[in-house]
Amino acid sequence: MAEVEQLSEELTTLKRVVQTSLHRGLLAKGVHEVCKAIESKQAKFVVLADDCTEDTYKKLIVALAKQFQIPVWKVEKGALLGEWIGISKFLTKTKKIKSRKCSSVALKDFAIEVSENEKQFVEDKIKGL
C-alpha cells in the first residue's frame, strides 16, 4: 500500500512539474525538440513513455540521454504524458473524448511556481535514475 502511495506521489509531483514548465515554455515535447534539448544540454531530465511502440525512438532518446549524461524518467503510458501536456481532448473535466499519446518530453528548467519541496523531490529522484 505504501508503494502505491509513493508511486502516486511521484506521478503527482512529476505531473505538476511538467505542467508548470509547459506553461512557462520550459518543456520540449516530441522527438525533434527533445533531441535538440538533449544535444544542447538544456534538458535537466527526460520523461519517456514505456509503451512507445517505436523501438528506434526509445533507443535514440535513451542513447542520446546517456551520451550527454541526462537522466531518463520512465512512465508507463504515453497517454498519461499526452494528458499532462494537453494534447488529449476532453468533453468535460472527467470525460475524455480522444486520448493522444506523447512519447517523450524534456524539462529544460523548473518553473517558478514549483515549490522547493517539489523541486528537491524531483532532483532526488533523478539522481537515483
Side-chain angles (χ1 to χ4, degrees):
M1 188 69 163
E3 185 177 308
V4 172
E5 287 176 12
Q6 181 183 2
L7 182 63
S8 177
E9 181 185 349
E10 283 180 12
L11 288 179
T12 303
T13 304
L14 180 61
K15 176 183 176 180
R16 176 159 161 64
V17 168
V18 166
Q19 286 180 333
T20 54
S21 297
L22 172 71
H23 295 298
R24 290 288 178 187
L26 301 170
L27 194 72
K29 44 199 184 303
V31 68
H32 180 72
E33 287 183 24
V34 170
C35 289
K36 192 173 171 181
I38 292 171
E39 289 173 339
S40 64
K41 295 186 179 182
Q42 289 180 328
K44 291 203 178 288
F45 66 93
V46 174
V47 182
L48 180 66
D50 249 353
D51 69 344
C52 178
T53 56
E54 286 292 325
D55 286 334
T56 52
Y57 183 104
K58 286 169 48 174
K59 287 178 185 176
L60 172 68
I61 298 295
V62 170
L64 269 177
K66 187 175 182 179
Q67 179 182 353
F68 290 96
Q69 299 170 346
I70 295 172
V72 177
W73 189 329
K74 294 190 178 180
V75 294
E76 286 185 29
K77 298 185 178 192
L80 193 62
L81 272 178
E83 282 180 32
W84 292 355
I85 65 169
I87 60 175
S88 294
K89 294 184 180 182
F90 289 87
L91 184 60
T92 63
K93 286 186 178 182
T94 56
K95 187 171 181 181
K96 193 183 310 181
I97 294 175
K98 187 174 185 179
S99 180
R100 295 185 64 200
K101 293 181 181 180
C102 176
S103 295
S104 64
V105 296
L107 186 93
K108 294 178 187 177
D109 202 2
F110 292 98
I112 57 173
E113 293 87 0
V114 175
S115 71
E116 282 300 317
N117 289 341
E118 291 171 326
K119 189 175 179 179
Q120 190 62 44
F121 180 83
V122 169
E123 287 175 347
D124 290 344
K125 175 68 178 171
I126 61 176
K127 283 179 187 174
L129 296 176

